[in-house]
Amino acid sequence: MKQLKKLFFCVLFVAILPAVKAQEVSWSEVQPGIWKAVIGQPEKYDLLTASGAQPNKEALAKIGTAPFPLAKSDIEFKVVDGKTYLRFPLQQKEQLYGFGLNFQTVHQRGKILELHVDHYDGQDNGRTHAPTPFYISSNGYGVFVNSARYIKVWAGSGVRKDSPDFPTPTDRNTDKDWAARPYSDAVEILVPAAGVEVYVFGGPKPLDAVKRYNLMNGGGYLPPRWGLGFTQRVMASSTAGDVENEVKAFEEKGYPLDFVGLEPGWQSKSYPGTFEWDKSRFPEPSVFVRKMLDKQIRLNLWINPYVSPEAPFYKEIRPFTSSHTVWLGLIPDFNIPKARELFFGQLQKDQVDIGVSGYKIDEVDGFDYYLWPDVATFPSGISAEQMRQTYGLLAMRYSAEMFKKLNRRTFGLVRASNGGGTSFPYVIYNDYYDHKDFVTALVNSGFTGTLWTPEVRASDTGEEWLRRFQSNVFSPMAMINAWASGTKPWTYPEVEKQIKEYALLRMKMMPYWYTEFAKYHFEGIPPFRAMNLEDGFNQEVTKETLMKVDLEKNPYAEATTREVKDQYMAGEYLLVAPMFTGEKSRKVVLPKGNWYDFYTGKLAGNGEVISITPGLDIIPVFVKDGGIIPMMPALLHAPKPGDKVDLEVRHYGEKAGVYKLYDDDGETFNFEKGAMSWREIKVERQANGQLKGAISAPEKGKPNTIGKVKFVFF
Amino acid sequence: MKQLKKLFFCVLFVAILPAVKAQEVSWSEVQPGIWKAVIGQPEKYDLLTASGAQPNKEALAKIGTAPFPLAKSDIEFKVVDGKTYLRFPLQQKEQLYGFGLNFQTVHQRGKILELHVDHYDGQDNGRTHAPTPFYISSNGYGVFVNSARYIKVWAGSGVRKDSPDFPTPTDRNTDKDWAARPYSDAVEILVPAAGVEVYVFGGPKPLDAVKRYNLMNGGGYLPPRWGLGFTQRVMASSTAGDVENEVKAFEEKGYPLDFVGLEPGWQSKSYPGTFEWDKSRFPEPSVFVRKMLDKQIRLNLWINPYVSPEAPFYKEIRPFTSSHTVWLGLIPDFNIPKARELFFGQLQKDQVDIGVSGYKIDEVDGFDYYLWPDVATFPSGISAEQMRQTYGLLAMRYSAEMFKKLNRRTFGLVRASNGGGTSFPYVIYNDYYDHKDFVTALVNSGFTGTLWTPEVRASDTGEEWLRRFQSNVFSPMAMINAWASGTKPWTYPEVEKQIKEYALLRMKMMPYWYTEFAKYHFEGIPPFRAMNLEDGFNQEVTKETLMKVDLEKNPYAEATTREVKDQYMAGEYLLVAPMFTGEKSRKVVLPKGNWYDFYTGKLAGNGEVISITPGLDIIPVFVKDGGIIPMMPALLHAPKPGDKVDLEVRHYGEKAGVYKLYDDDGETFNFEKGAMSWREIKVERQANGQLKGAISAPEKGKPNTIGKVKFVFF
């Protein structure tokens, strides 16, 4: 061994090369305000090939171009040791957002992450359901790394010895200002592949970069109207009869219900699954599905994509599956057409064709102990790592195709997404259940091109039940997931009245939600998003001063940062500030401009931090000055195509306002061929000082679901 | 993008190859009972080149060979995607140990780990101070992966579809025995490099595999006698005068003290460091060091290896350092001789040459926010990842050389080690402070070729202080680390008496500890180790039955395993079962054979689980039948070379016993040239039924520190 060692050091010192030289990146504008660089030898399989994302060129052209947002010479890359090292500059006071669906933090500057599709395990470390390699800067630009690898990110933590911004070292023995984390002037990224495609998105504002990113991926999915109603997931062992009874109970009690989720027990076997109905619990699936549809109730079916030996297509699909199994089920390689044909063919024939409206795709995220190891192999030759990063994308993409073929929109649930997944009809959910962190995930979802539901499952108290329900109503999918608990909206009698009121509010707001989702589709604006994307919101990173440091507990005397992560924007005009169990009051940061109470129209404040004590009945919601919220009556189901609903258009504050209301048939893709309209709602102050509202006339030959329109001035 | 996609899928399907064929590994016996396989193209820089570990061939020859412990055809490897996939078989009921210095678990079968040098952060996930890629099987063999990469391990979690042991899938809807983690029959390992060296260690017992591993790495370091005494680390800002006063206080109060640790303030600047004395706090270092040595007090100096601009060798070393900094200090590339010469040259000249006895090498482990990112580069061309995995090894190796050159033994502290590090004079410590987990780390240290100290810092109560101190006395380094707290052994007056008694017990047991460390050096037997390595210990993996599953909190109804992780073997004969604050009683698992109370000699049990209520004064310790424990008087400092000490040899139980007592000068490496002896102590039962003890005569011309010998029969 001694000789080996000597030999090694000989070789080593002969081999001391000048450090691999960093190269400047060459950028080409692939869409207006979107630049792409091809670095090294990118792999053929990446997030955009997996998702099949197609840019909405028309919408991107409408936004137009922008100046390249960074000094190109400050962006560097090297390919070292078979890996790609990227560096992007950071300015003083610049803040970063994004890097996937984080649950506890909004400010990402200074973080170290390994972006890895996984269930969320209580730490913002890069392992999450949608670890999108996309970040947005408060300076108004975005960066996307199009790789399906586990990407490591140092989002402003490393300090290079030749940094032009090198801080002055201090002495920890004597200098009280010594910092455990000195100032860093770069985002550094390691892509474990010998090349990668990188995209930069121009501004000028951070929201512009987000819009460009979303539109490059096709924009958000426009859900069917019923997708924005209320959904209840029933217990895993429910039978057709149980479901009918539950639907009846909703009807009798006057609770809205648009779709019902069936959990594993709809299948004859699950974990691994057969992907066919259990005939003991559902003896006549097509009759049952039809019966439900007649009551305006859609069905959404839970699956995870791991194939039981008793699945009808098991033998046929076996050659097109991984070396490894999940819960002893085969893992279809969705990169192989034959695997897709067999898997989705079964779903199509057995479920979609008889009227099932969508799926809940479970366990495509992690966690490691259940999923395939990174040493698994797949017959397409795509590595286990790349499959892990894209399996959710593939499952969403090819399941959505089943519905597209039938010209039916779907809306479902999924546990994993990634870059490129913006345009899929899925909302992310998980097993985690911290209400505050659920709200922070909602804040961050807008940075990742994903939708997230802070689902309600069960609660220890009526107060918690109501608090969770209230936030859930102001989220992409209003849902109780009672697969294990069997809870109903009315399970906690002490808050039943308030729950019902909020369930109905969800329905009343459907015209607003539907339009805001249309903006996600056509303009790339996330319907739920961080305050940091809102004009007039300016929150400095505040370092809490550590007055007294306990070195036993905090040996490096680390300071902490404060950030706004418990309030968010919902659509164009609403600011939602949820309440959490046990809390009677809270602070709300209001951006510049007047903000009004959603329920009373009372002025709440302007560019300030207010303190409120709203009581148990209320989730605080504020409306921007001039805000217009179109509402409909509290129906128990979304309107059917052709139904007309009356509108109550609310206007808040002093300013004139304008709102473009979206309309179409609510169920098909005919809108893609022009069967849609944007109706302009205007509120103006008249000569007499009074406000007056008007809505533009319906366009000829376009769908029109609007009946009478009434204006209410708050 | 559409065209690109099409092209991609064309390429993809042309490229569907037959899955990369796994190859059978070819093994060669490199030492008796140790086999090596060279897989793919191993990298030149690995754990063994970094550590420079040399096998103790003589000792290995003494153990002799063994049958190859696995079916060779069941071991497979593939090189895929530039990475090496390894697979080793597992049998039913086989348990695995090791995989680095874990803090919470002993049984590793079923775990998924990424072996990554890091500070310990509360989870056994592979990130730890010594993430040694070495595992031991209860079936009596070991496996070592000689790679300085972040190695991923699935230690029996994946289930391959073609596994010969494939379990029968069940239906989660209806089958109560459905398991979230089905049976797996293999350890799978991913080494992110296109080749690797792997070693297999024969048995027949698990301890034999451990011994072979340790001896291949040169065996454990034989500490100087003083290293096994008591050490106190003083407050960071202490001056020479403060230290003298503290030493005086120990003396006056009658507490043992062998070495004192100086924390960052000994340096003129720290974080980053100058590596020279602060002349305001230590105006005459050589006088001060001399004065301490005259009182038989050694000094150990805290460092972390990051170089301040004010270090005297800053400019010279700059070209031989990383692209990145740590706390704005340069990171020397210890693979470059010039960097070592400059860095250790400073230490040698300024400190070692004037009599400093050793170092505490901090922050060579992590955590990520303080250390260099994986995109850092080093002038030797060794990657940041490999440097992270080996920086502790390099720091230990080259600092130890300074003392070796002077024929002086050292003994210090370090925060990172790895495979190959067995023979270094360092004990691992950290910032974590959970007493139970500290004990579990002690249990696991014996599986990793490392030493670990459950150091005592401060405590909320006297009870906690005493409980921590008691375990610390039965560990490789008996130490109070008061760098932040300034605590002394007598800080908690309510337990001062007991603390003193245990501090003195540590000194009394020095002949036993010294011999047990000699066995680590000459025979590879870890002085502190798990019960699982002990004959007669047989603990089945017990699955706790989940009587009532709360699916809200445990959605996959996971069962848990029980394991013995709060008791350990200390040397040949002692079983230590620490008590923890707040606990009045505990269970102890006794292996087969009679076990006796260390303090009273009373029979405690035999192959059974006993329940004990020892009271606050006692840390329960048990002695094996026939156990012999050589003890000396309660000196306040380790004996000097040439000093003679009387022995009290304790014998426990009914059986005859034998003990080989090690002796040498206690300070130099002359033992390597034969200046050492093993004296045989024998206790035999005479014709009259009485036990009688004897010790063999001292060997001529060999060091002899033994005075009168008295036998005590418990």
Side-chain angles (χ1 to χ4, degrees), chain A residues 317-328:
Chain A
I317 207 168
R318 203 171 197 276
F320 309 108
T321 63
S322 172
S323 58
H324 283 65
T325 57
V326 173
W327 289 306
L328 310 177

Side-chain angles (χ1 to χ4, degrees), chain B residues 226-257:
Chain B
W226 58 259
L228 300 176
F230 188 81
T231 178
Q232 174 83 10
R233 302 201 71 87
V234 300
M235 283 193 86
S237 54
S238 300
T239 63
D242 294 335
V243 176
E244 285 173 33
N245 288 337
E246 187 145 338
V247 166
K248 210 170 148 197
F250 269 76
E251 204 178 316
E252 285 173 1
K253 289 176 186 279
Y255 283 83
L257 186 62

Side-chain angles (χ1 to χ4, degrees), chain A residues 13 81 149 152 159 161 178 180 188 271 318 321 323-325 327 335 363 369-370 374 556 558, chain B residues 13 81 112 149 152 159 161 178 180 188 270-271 318 321 323-325 327 335 363 370 374 556 558:
Chain A
F13 293 106
D81 194 24
R149 295 278 173 185
K152 290 191 183 186
V159 185
K161 67 182 176 189
W178 180 86
E188 295 179 290
Y271 295 87
R318 203 171 197 276
T321 63
S323 58
H324 283 65
T325 57
W327 289 306
N335 286 304
E363 288 116 1
Y369 289 92
Y370 303 159
D374 290 350
Y556 297 91
E558 292 252 26
Chain B
F13 293 107
D81 195 25
I112 296 174
R149 295 278 172 186
K152 290 192 184 186
V159 184
K161 69 181 175 189
W178 180 86
E188 295 178 291
S270 76
Y271 295 86
R318 204 173 197 277
T321 62
S323 58
H324 283 65
T325 57
W327 288 306
N335 286 304
E363 288 117 0
Y370 303 159
D374 290 349
Y556 297 90
E558 292 251 25

Side-chain angles (χ1 to χ4, degrees), chain A residues 1-2 5 8-9 11-13 16 44-45 48-49 52-55 78 81 83 85 110-112 114 116 121 123 149-150 152 154 158-161 166-174 178-182 188-190 197 199 264-265 267-272 281 309 318 321-325 327-328 330 335-337 362-363 367-370 373-377 379-380 382-383 385 397-398 415 431 457-458 483-485 551-552 555-556 558, chain B residues 1-2 4-5 8-9 11-13 16 44-45 48-49 52-55 78 81 83 85 110-112 114 116 121 123 149-150 152 154 158-161 166-174 178-182 188-190 199 264-265 267-272 281 309 318 321-325 327-328 330 335-337 362-363 367-370 373-377 379-380 382-383 385 397-398 415 431 457-458 483-485 551-552 555-556 558:
Chain A
M1 219 168 287
K2 207 158 203 165
K5 193 187 83 184
F8 165 66
F9 281 102
V11 170
L12 187 64
F13 293 106
I16 293 187
K44 292 205 175 64
Y45 187 77
L48 296 182
T49 46
Q54 299 299 320
K78 303 187 241 207
D81 194 24
K83 302 177 182 86
Y85 295 4
K111 297 281 275 293
I112 298 175
E114 185 175 26
H116 189 309
D121 196 26
Q123 280 191 308
R149 295 278 173 185
Y150 303 145
K152 290 191 183 186
W154 291 263
V159 185
R160 297 168 333 276
K161 67 182 176 189
F166 195 80
T168 308
T170 55
D171 175 21
R172 195 182 171 191
N173 297 329
T174 55
W178 180 86
R181 303 192 192 193
E188 295 179 290
I189 296 174
L190 187 156
E197 274 181 16
Y199 292 81
Q267 273 180 90
S268 57
K269 300 208 184 244
S270 76
Y271 295 87
R281 287 182 288 268
R318 203 171 197 276
T321 63
S322 172
S323 58
H324 283 65
T325 57
W327 289 306
L328 310 177
L330 299 174
N335 286 304
I336 295 181
D362 207 3
E363 288 116 1
F367 79 123
D368 291 356
Y369 289 92
Y370 303 159
D374 290 350
V375 293
T377 54
S380 63
I382 306 297
S383 71
E385 173 182 358
R397 174 181 181 179
Y398 296 113
R415 284 258 295 241
D431 277 334
R457 296 200 281 267
W483 77 277
S485 60
L551 289 172
E552 295 291 336
Y556 297 91
E558 292 252 26
Chain B
M1 217 167 287
K2 205 160 203 165
L4 182 73
K5 191 187 85 185
F8 165 64
F9 281 102
V11 171
L12 185 64
F13 293 107
I16 293 188
K44 292 205 174 63
Y45 187 78
L48 297 182
T49 47
Q54 298 299 322
K78 303 185 240 206
D81 195 25
K83 302 178 182 87
Y85 295 4
K111 296 280 274 297
I112 296 174
E114 185 175 26
H116 190 309
D121 196 25
Q123 280 192 309
R149 295 278 172 186
Y150 303 144
K152 290 192 184 186
W154 292 262
V159 184
R160 300 174 324 282
K161 69 181 175 189
F166 195 79
T168 306
T170 56
D171 175 22
R172 195 182 172 192
N173 297 329
T174 54
W178 180 86
R181 304 193 191 191
E188 295 178 291
I189 296 174
L190 187 156
Y199 292 82
Q267 274 180 90
S268 57
K269 300 207 184 244
S270 76
Y271 295 86
R281 288 183 286 267
R318 204 173 197 277
T321 62
S322 172
S323 58
H324 283 65
T325 57
W327 288 306
L328 309 177
L330 299 174
N335 286 304
I336 296 181
D362 207 4
E363 288 117 0
F367 77 124
D368 291 356
Y369 289 92
Y370 303 159
D374 290 349
V375 294
T377 54
S380 63
I382 306 295
S383 71
E385 172 183 358
R397 175 181 180 178
Y398 296 113
R415 284 258 295 239
D431 277 334
R457 297 200 281 267
W483 77 278
S485 60
L551 290 172
E552 294 293 335
Y556 297 90
E558 292 251 25

Side-chain angles (χ1 to χ4, degrees), chain A residues 30 74 104 200 224 251 278 332 350 366 436 469 478 518 573 647 657 690:
Chain A
V30 289
D74 289 347
Q104 298 187 324
V200 164
E251 203 178 316
D278 181 83
D350 198 50
K436 285 190 178 178
F469 196 91
Y573 288 121
L647 282 194
Q690 297 283 301

Side-chain angles (χ1 to χ4, degrees), chain B residues 267-287:
Chain B
Q267 274 180 90
S268 57
K269 300 207 184 244
S270 76
Y271 295 86
T274 55
F275 307 96
E276 58 181 12
W277 293 90
D278 182 84
K279 291 294 164 63
S280 67
R281 288 183 286 267
F282 297 88
E284 293 180 299
S286 61
V287 173

Side-chain angles (χ1 to χ4, degrees), chain A residues 108 241 461 590 620:
Chain A
Q108 303 304 327
T461 62
L590 297 174

